[in-house]
Each structure stands twice: as structure tokens, then as C-alpha cells.
């Protein structure tokens, strides 16, 4: 999933973490001790719940294990107490819709994803589908595998919270509406189909907001509370001799370059027009809809810049200079407020070892575009197409594979204020963050017609989403971060706070 | 090997082919009938000779089968009658040096290569290493496999010519000096080491010229005689965050594009400076050393433009427009006289199916540069480096994997005049060609210190060098082109003409 782990998007923070064991927080006073005891009792089952889920491979990008993953997600929901569980077809892969009626006053929406990112097993120190328990220096014992933190770990912990509540003989303090998609990693191209299906929409309309479980703690114990996320478009630009009407329509010997145009160079020249000399987007009209940060958002960044470590952020990415030689405050602002044009990948002609004297007839650039309010996915794609046409590259195919608008939730939404209070109850002062640099399809909840607040929450720790050796912490050896039981406890506490 | 088959470099010609069986040529009068009879008798052995050689896989680009291929080449030379056969080490892979002393007055140098291009077996209709006999529409029964025409087929036919001469109880009419390299397909990076080894150089200095067997006939029976070839440089441009000192030094989540520079875009911008808006090389100083065609060369192109079919050339490559909307005469001139900058391949970041939201720390462009007199490999590389540095891309690595200078042989060299006479004796009026658009390492022979004329020769037909379904014709069903026996006979006739 495209949410950014903290290490990736704001770097290490100068923390205010607390020893969770020693500071049980405000909820001990609320007499949740019986549930907390069930969390400890259910620990081994919760570990197995996550391991087994990781072993159930679902990769939308590879059309792999979709139906199996869907059935597995439905089973997980049933086991956690959801009375109604339903497969929701879309134009692409199915979502899962489930409701848990606890007879409570309030209803909470919960967003899950059950697909994961692709892997190259050769890059992993522990096999990505074995979900082994490994030692992570500075953190503790963790489950390593694809999806461990993104997003099965936090989601499994949330489900384990429901198991613990039931094991204590209680009902959840809020009713729940779960919507789980299987295409998050390819840009959620059909998620709105599922969310706006009549029965799903009707259920979501009753919710006080949407909640997404996460593992929010950095190694130093700090936690961010994000009030939105950038939108994204993922696409391929494809230059080909056939569409261009110039150059070859099949790979030919490279000597022909003397008398034939090159689709690969045509692509290179087109790409060159998409950014300016400094690397900023230069697509015609790209900046027209960019809304400036509010004074309140600017203040959040001021605080974030003092609480987070620039050195740690740079070190974690192997970086010596920010773009445009920005200072730390500006680099944080760029993450929150600057739209981007990124090359994810370049593929053209001969890509193996050494060289091969061919003039390729086709070349592809994989791009992602990050959007800020008030940009939209549709207007961004339209601007890109129009830009290419206006600059002589109208023949280049723009194949959009996924994407969605930016999402924003007000800082004063009841959902957000409650989540913050739960953190504060654990002795954690979260860092407010105007907008994540990464993306998630929250817009389907926060935009018309639902207009729900949407927030992320969860103690616990994990890293390396989309990368090799992804992990989710089980037994913490670091007093500033919670392990599995602490994460589950935070979800229990959160549900009671929201009630 | 990087020589261009006719279909690829000048397109189909409007031919003057003759029925070879009905027009045995001038050499029947020279009483070579005994040898010609031995060619027919040795037909099956000659087929097996080529098939077995194809099955001996030697791919320099993959470090595959080098020593086995070297030993096999040595054995082939011994069996064909070379008395002295020697492995010549180089800084890279070994060459083979062999001499055949026939007690003749004249000595002929022969150039072989025993490596072949890489394959993707999935793209072949017949497995590339099985060397099966297949039917090729419009041509006849052919051996299909990697190396069939490039270059094992013509080379095996040349060796079969020596077998036939011996089987007729004769000695070859010329002494032979063979030099066979194993790195042609990677740009002959060490071939000069072998050619200029003292014993090899001493033997070559006695030669009247260097001869390279080929399958010169297009499907319409036409033959070109080339008087040189472009030089080439193969290289990779590598942009990386580590070398640049900007952007990430490992792949990071693409959200970071907002605050990090992109090595992939840095490469794209650098590539953009290498060509002008029309696609012509724009490397600083690139055109300084480009020698204009002589009046005689211009006349050759005038003739070629009338004898060759533009429509066939365009069709064979799936082309509708020449670069710069050139006419046919200009397109032929461009092949002969215009230097190039070509992208062979682009590889950066995520290259699999769909997308992956990464900001790559590294991107690579595989280039080849074609050179015309008086450009040299070394000056071309120096100009490229200097250009990149002057335009702000001095951090981009220029990793040269191979290449060499252009090569030229005078039209009035005795070797060339003799080869032309042999074609004319077969009723073929060859089309003169100032310079091939592709490349071969002839410069080591034609330049200082050897300064030998170098020519290609051979009847017969084959296509798809470097491509899937490469073939070499065995039994011709096309009256305008020779099959295996005709090709072998042309080499016999050629040796007697050169004597």
C-alpha cells in the first residue's frame, strides 16, 4: 500500500516515546483490564493469525491469489465477529464488505486492503512468504514478510483486538463497517465501485468516520497524525514507431538509426518536457490548481521541523542534498505540499547484460504523479495528455493504471481529536502532519457523497513497506515502541475512546 | 556480428540475379569440375558441419562457452587443413590463429568470428540451438539457429570449400592465414591484441588482403560489395544518486520525489542533450571530423538508389518515413555517411509488469554510436565525456564496453577487383556501396600498421542476424539465390581467382 511509513516520509523524529509497559495509559482506569488480559492470552494465536495471512499471497499487479485472498479476508472477518460478510464485485478485483452490529450507539468505518506489493525473493534476507520471526536490531523480534507492516500486520492486530474483546465476554463498544479492497497496490482503480455500491454506501453513511489501522511508531517512539494524503496517478507513457508513424515498427539493427527516427529518443525528449531544469513539474497548467498551505498547516510544519531529525531522514535514504537544496523545513513542506512527476521505471529495447545493437521500436516510462488539493486525478491526466499533444508528443500513449484524488480531513474532526486523545493517554504527543507525501484512496470517503473524516491509528512498529525485509514488530526490545500486544491494546483502547 | 545483412541495411534490391545452376560461371572453363563434384559429394557433411557448430554455443556477452568454442574453432581449422593452429590469448577472450601453407605464391588473410549474439528462445519458431532444417518461404530449405548466417554459415561454407579442394586431391591455390575472434558481438574490445601479436602480425603482413566470408545474396539475387564500414562505440551511461551526490542512493518510496532529485530524470535530461530536435547527434564537436563523401562514393549511391527498392526496405522494417523525411537517395547516403547516437536500451527502477511507486536511485541507457571517417573511437568517447561534463552531467558514468574505428578499403584494391570479377563471372553485377551502416573490426586490418585491403565475399543467402529465426539457406527453391553448394562453390572459385 502506498501509505508511507514514517521513516520514509518524514525521517526519524526526535521522540517523546514512553515505556508502554510502565505507562498503561488512561484506559486502565476505564476497567479494560479483562480485555488486556485476553490480549496476553491470545498472543500466540495473534502471531499465527498474521503469519498465516502473509502466507496467503494476493498481488493485484500480478493477478495472483485474488479469489483466494478474498475468501481469506471474508473468513478473517467472520472469525473476528462480523455477522454480515459479503464479496463486492467491481470492474476489477473484488472488495469485501462486512458489518458488525454490536447494538452500540456509534458506528465506525474501517478500511482494509488485502493485496500486497510484488517481491523479488532474491533481495530478501528471510523468504518473503514464510513470515518468519527474526531479530531486528534496535526493535526486537519481528515477523518478516511481504505485507507484514503494509498492511496485514496492523490489520491483523485490529482483528485480534476484536477477538480479545469477545474473549473477555464483551461486545465491541462501537458497531463496525469494514470495507477491504484488493487493488490498493495498483492505485485502487475500482475502489469507488465498491464503496459506492448501494449497501456499502448506506452502511458507511451511518459511520462517524473511517479508521485505518497502522503501525504508527518510529523507532524513537514518535507518532504522526496525518490530516490527509496526496493523490496519485500511476501511468505508463509508451512511445512506439507504430503509433508515431516514424521510426521502425519492430526492433531493427541499430545501423538503421542513421536513417530512422528513434521512438526511445522520442520518449526521452517527451519526458524532458515534463520537468524544468530543477526537476519540478513543468506540465502545462500543472500548478494552476495547487492550493497554498493554510497558516495552521504551516505551523504544523514549523513544529515538525523542530521535532524531527533531518540527519536521520537523510541517512535512511542515503541522501546528501534535498531537491533545490532546500532546508529541512522546506523539505518537509515539499513532502506535504509539492506535486511531483516521478519516473518509477524506464524500459526500452535491450535491457539485459551488456549491449545489443538494436534500434528499439518501443520504449516505456512508468510514471507516478503526486497531487495536492485542489488537483484531481482526472484533471492531472487531462493536463498531461494536452501537454504532450501541444509539445509534439500526441502520439505517445498515456496508459493510466490507477490513481485517485488527494484526501483531506479537518484537524478538528471528532475522529481525529479522539485518536489524538488516545495517543496522549499513552503519554505520546503526536506530531501533526498536514498531508502525507504518499497516497491512499481516502478520497472515496472524504469526498462527495460520503464526506467522512478519515484517520490512521495504531501503536506498534514496522518498516520497509514495498522494500525487501519488510517487518512488523512482535516482541519489542525497545522501550519506546510497542510490540504486538501493545498494538492490539491500542486498538482496544481506541474503540472504547471512540465509543 | 555487427555486419548488416542486405535486407537490413539497404533493403531489397531490384536484382540482376541469375539461375546459378544454369550459369556455372567462368570457372567451369578453369577445370574446377573435379572440385565442384566433391562439393556435391560432401554436401551432407557440410550440413552437419554447420549444424554441429551452431550447437556449440559461444556467447561473449554472457561469458558462455568461450573455451569450448575456442577449442571447437581450432579443431575446425585443423580438419580443414590448417597445419598450424594456435590459441591466442587477449586481455579478454581468446582468438584463434591458424595458417595453411599450400606452397602457393599468394597468401590470403581470412577473418572469422566464433561468438554469436544472445537469444531469447521464446521468440524463436525453431529452437535456436537445434539448427533444424526448416522451410523458408521464397528461399527454400534452411538451417535455422543462432549464428546460422552471422557468421557460422558462411564460415562453415568456406571451410567446406577447403574440404572439397582436398577431396579432389588438390592443394588450395593460395596460402591462408586465419584469425578468428570470440568477442565480435561485444564490440571486439581485445581483437587488436590478437591481430598485432607478433606471430599473427608477421603472418598477416604477407597477405594480399583480408577476406571475410558472407552470404551476400538478397532474396532477389542482388549482391553488394562494400568498401568499408562505420566504426562503433557501445557504452552504458549510468546515472546514480551516489555518483551524482543528489537524489537517493537506494530506491526509496516515490513520495520522496517531492524533496529529492531523480537520477532517472537526470539521465533523461542528459540524453536529451545528445541529439537535436531532428534526432541528429548534438554531442559537442561530433561533426568536426566527419569527412564528406567523395564524388565516386556519391556516384555509387546514385546507382544504388536506382537499383534498390525503397518500398521493400521500408516494408521490411515497418517504416513509413525516413528520418528528416529524407528521400531514398538521402536515406542510403545517411546509412553510409551519417554518424549516429542510438539508444539500444533503457533500464531504470521498476521494470516489471504494472507500476511500483519507487524513486529509483539509478538508471542506465545503453547506447551505440556509429562513426564515419575521420572519427575515431577514442575521440568519440572523449567528446561524449567532455560534452556531458560541459552540460552539467559530468557525474554520469560512461562505461564503454567495446568499439572500434571506421574501416575503408579502396575500390581499386586488387582484392576488391578480383572479388567483383568472381561475381561478374556468375552473371551478377554487384552494387557498390561506400560504407556499411553497420560495423566490423576491419580497422585492425585496414589501418596502421597492417594497412591491408579487406573485403567480404560469398554467394548464398541468410537473414535475421541478431534477430529470432536467423537462418542460412541450404537448398534453394529460388532461382536467383544460391544454396549451400553454390555458396561453397563461390568460395572455391574465389580462391582460384585470387590465386
Amino acid at each position: 500500500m502506498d501509505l508511507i511509513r514514517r521513516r520514509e516520509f518524514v525521517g526519524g523524529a526526535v521522540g517523546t516515546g514512553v515505556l508502554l509497559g510502565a505507562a498503561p495509559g488512561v484506559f486502565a482506569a476505564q476497567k479494560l483490564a479483562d480485555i488486556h488480559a485476553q490480549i496476553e492470552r491470545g498472543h500466540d494465536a495473534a502471531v499465527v493469525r498474521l503469519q498465516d495471512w502473509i502466507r496467503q499471497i494476493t498481488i493485484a499487479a500480478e493477478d495472483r491469489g485474488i479469489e483466494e485472498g478474498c475468501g481469506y479476508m471474508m473468513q478473517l472477518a467472520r472469525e473476528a465477529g462480523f455477522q454480515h460478510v459479503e464479496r463486492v464485485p467491481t470492474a476489477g478485483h473484488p472488495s469485501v464488505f462486512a458489518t458488525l452490529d454490536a447494538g452500540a450507539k456509534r458506528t465506525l468505518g474501517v478500511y482494509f486492503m488485502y493485496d500486497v506489493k510484488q517481491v523479488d525473493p532474491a533481495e530478501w534476507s528471510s523468504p518473503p512468504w514464510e513470515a518468519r520471526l527474526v531479530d531486528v536490531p534496535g526493535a526486537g523480534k519481528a515477523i518478516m514478510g511481504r505485507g507484514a507492516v503494509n498492511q496485514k500486520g496492523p490489520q491483523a492486530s485490529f482483528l485480534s483486538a476484536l477477538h480479545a474483546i469477545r474473549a473477555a465476554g464483551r461486545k465491541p463498544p462501537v458497531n463496525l463497517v469494514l470495507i477491504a479492497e484488493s487493488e490498493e497496490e495498483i492505485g485502487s482503480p475500482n475502489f469507488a465501485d465498491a464503496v459506492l455500491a448501494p449497501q456499502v454506501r448506506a452502511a458507511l453513511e451511518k459511520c462517524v468516520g473511517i479508521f485505518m489501522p497502522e503501525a504508527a511508531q518510529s523507532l524513537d517512539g514518535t507518532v504522526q497524525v496525518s490530516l490527509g494524503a496526496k493523490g496519485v496517478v500511476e501511468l505508463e507513457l509508451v512511445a512506439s514507431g507504430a503509433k508515431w508513424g516514424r521510426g521502425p515498427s519492430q526492433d531493427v539493427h541499430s545501423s538503421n538509426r542513421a536513417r530512422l527516427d528513434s521512438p526511445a529518443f522520442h520518449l526521452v525528449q517527451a519526458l524532458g518536457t515534463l520537468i524544468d531544469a530543477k526537476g519540478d513539474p513543468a506540465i502545462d497548467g500543472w500548478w494552476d490548481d495547487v492550493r497554498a498551505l493554510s497558516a495552521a498547516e504551516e505551523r504544523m510544519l514549523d513544529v515538525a521541523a523542530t521535532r524531527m531529525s533531518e540527519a536521520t531522514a537523510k541517512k535512511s535514504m542515503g541522501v546528501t542534498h534535498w531537491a533545490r537544496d532546500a532546508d529541512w523545513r522546506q523539505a518537509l513542506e515539499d513532502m506535504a505540499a509539492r506535486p511531483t512527476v516521478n519516473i518509477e521505471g524506464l524500459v526500452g529495447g535491450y535491457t539485459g547484460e551488456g549491449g545489443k545493437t538494436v534500434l528499439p521500436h518501443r520504449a516505456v516510462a512508468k510514471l507516478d504523479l503526486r497531487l495536492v488539493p485542489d488537483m484531481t486525478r482526472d484533471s492531472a491526466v487531462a493536463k498531461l495528455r494536452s501537454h504532450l499533444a501541444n509539445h509534439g508528443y500526441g502520439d505517445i500513449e498515456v496508459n493510466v493504471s490507477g490513481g485517485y484524488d488527494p484526501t483531506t480531513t479537518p484537524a478538528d474532526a471528532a475522529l481525529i481529536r479522539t485518536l489524538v486523545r488516545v495517543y496522549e493517554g499513552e503519554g505520546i504527543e503526536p506530531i501533526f502532519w498536514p498531508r502525507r507525501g504518499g497516497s491512499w484512496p481516502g478520497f472515496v470517503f472524504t469526498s462527495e457523497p460520503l464526506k467522512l473524516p478519515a484517520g490512521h491509528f495504531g501503536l506498534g512498529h514496522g518498516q520497509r513497506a514495498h522494500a525487501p525485509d519488510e517487518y512488523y514488530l512482535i516482541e519489542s526490545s525497545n522501550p519506546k515502541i510497542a510490540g504486538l500486544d501493545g498494538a492490539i491494546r491500542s486498538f482496544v483502547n481506541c474503540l472504547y475512546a471512540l465509543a
Side-chain angles (χ1 to χ4, degrees), chain A:
Chain A
M1 82 117 178
D2 203 30
L3 279 168
I4 305 308
R5 302 270 67 77
R6 280 122 318 285
R7 310 296 299 185
E8 293 168 352
F9 97 111
V10 287
V14 179
T16 60
V18 296
L19 185 64
L20 294 164
V26 292
F27 298 96
Q30 292 187 12
K31 308 210 185 331
L32 299 177
D34 55 338
I35 301 173
H36 294 171
Q38 291 299 332
I39 292 171
E40 285 176 37
R41 207 162 296 153
H43 176 87
D44 291 349
V47 169
V48 170
R49 185 170 292 120
L50 174 54
Q51 288 178 312
D52 284 349
W53 200 3
I54 289 172
R55 291 166 190 152
Q56 172 57 57
I57 307 166
T58 299
I59 303 178
E62 298 174 352
D63 275 347
R64 182 173 176 189
I66 304 293
E67 287 305 327
E68 297 86 341
C70 181
Y72 204 90
M73 180 72 251
M74 294 172 76
Q75 188 61 26
L76 283 171
R78 281 189 206 100
E79 288 170 3
F82 285 84
Q83 299 106 342
H84 174 81
V85 180
E86 178 184 343
R87 179 184 182 281
V88 184
T90 72
H93 297 317
S95 290
V96 170
F97 164 57
T99 55
L100 189 162
D101 180 355
K105 198 175 107 194
R106 285 193 177 149
T107 302
L108 177 67
V110 183
Y111 168 80
F112 272 24
M113 52 183 276
Y114 63 88
D115 65 321
V116 299
K117 208 72 182 172
Q118 308 97 299
V119 298
D120 177 356
E123 298 176 339
W124 289 63
S125 69
S126 175
W129 308 119
E130 291 191 10
R132 288 184 193 163
L133 274 165
V134 303
D135 283 313
V136 174
K141 208 169 276 297
I143 290 178
M144 185 167 284
R146 174 56 84 223
V149 68
N150 173 21
Q151 197 64 25
K152 289 175 174 173
Q155 293 173 171
S157 294
F158 179 79
L159 296 175
S160 293
L162 301 182
H163 281 271
I165 291 168
R166 190 171 51 183
R170 303 211 203 185
K171 284 186 173 181
V174 291
N175 309 314
L176 296 171
V177 174
L178 172 69
I179 182 76
E181 70 161 319
S182 60
E183 297 184 318
E184 205 281 346
E185 295 294 8
I186 58 170
S188 304
N190 305 291
F191 188 47
D193 288 5
V195 169
L196 300 180
Q199 74 280 26
V200 182
R201 176 176 167 177
L204 287 170
E205 279 172 346
K206 295 179 197 144
C207 293
V208 296
I210 283 282
F211 165 94
M212 177 170 183
E214 67 170 343
Q217 294 185 290
S218 295
L219 276 175
D220 60 11
T222 52
V223 159
Q224 276 97 38
V225 168
S226 303
L227 300 173
K230 286 181 179 171
V232 70
V233 184
E234 276 197 86
L235 60 93
E236 288 188 345
L237 295 184
V238 182
S240 68
K243 282 266 179 177
W244 190 15
R246 305 192 66 88
S249 60
Q250 64 202 49
D251 286 6
V252 297
H253 195 284
S254 69
S255 58
N256 290 291
R257 181 72 181 95
R259 59 177 178 180
L260 290 182
D261 293 303
S262 161
F265 260 121
H266 189 54
L267 179 68
V268 160
Q269 289 175 316
L271 289 170
T273 70
L274 302 184
I275 59 165
D276 65 18
K278 291 181 173 174
D280 265 327
I283 297 167
D284 297 343
W286 196 247
W287 297 82
D288 293 352
D289 303 325
V290 173
R291 188 207 300 167
L293 289 174
S294 68
E297 290 169 326
E298 295 277 6
R299 278 194 301 276
M300 289 178 204
L301 291 168
D302 293 341
V303 171
T306 62
R307 288 192 57 196
M308 298 179 198
S309 164
E310 179 177 17
T312 305
K314 282 185 164 172
K315 191 177 164 204
S316 73
M317 298 189 288
V319 164
T320 55
H321 297 83
W322 301 118
R324 298 161 296 272
D325 293 316
D327 62 19
W328 180 223
R329 167 66 173 72
Q330 182 63 47
L332 292 178
E333 179 173 327
D334 291 340
M335 282 299 280
R338 186 179 290 268
T340 68
V341 176
N342 177 55
I343 296 175
E344 297 178 350
L346 292 171
V347 198
Y350 177 70
T351 58
E353 279 302 297
K356 191 172 176 188
T357 46
V358 293
L359 166 56
H361 73 104
R362 187 173 185 274
V364 177
K366 297 168 188 283
L367 301 187
D368 61 50
L369 319 171
R370 302 279 172 180
L371 314 177
V372 302
D374 298 317
M375 303 171 83
T376 64
R377 169 197 151 130
D378 291 345
S379 75
V381 172
K383 282 174 180 170
L384 174 62
R385 288 188 199 279
S386 159
H387 172 96
L388 290 172
N390 291 341
H391 289 76
Y393 304 102
D395 58 286
I396 293 182
E397 291 172 65
V398 179
N399 298 331
V400 176
S401 57
Y404 34 79
D405 298 347
T407 181
T408 303
T409 286
D412 60 359
L415 177 76
I416 300 297
R417 281 186 286 130
T418 305
L419 297 176
V420 169
R421 273 208 314 278
V422 182
Y423 282 133
E424 288 170 347
E426 297 282 355
I428 294 169
E429 186 191 350
I431 300 168
F432 277 93
W433 192 246
R435 188 179 303 119
R436 292 177 187 230
S439 308
W440 77 294
F443 83 103
V444 293
F445 306 118
T446 60
S447 303
E448 295 286 356
L450 290 171
K451 293 193 74 99
L452 291 170
H456 314 269
F457 174 85
L459 292 189
H461 168 77
Q463 287 199 106
R464 306 196 193 117
H466 295 196
D469 288 353
E470 179 180 351
Y471 70 84
Y472 182 67
L473 189 61
I474 301 299
E475 313 284 355
S476 177
S477 63
N478 175 338
K480 294 184 175 174
I481 53 179
L484 177 66
D485 289 359
I488 297 171
R489 201 161 55 227
S490 77
F491 291 122
V492 171
N493 295 349
C494 169
L495 291 176
Y496 279 88
L498 287 166

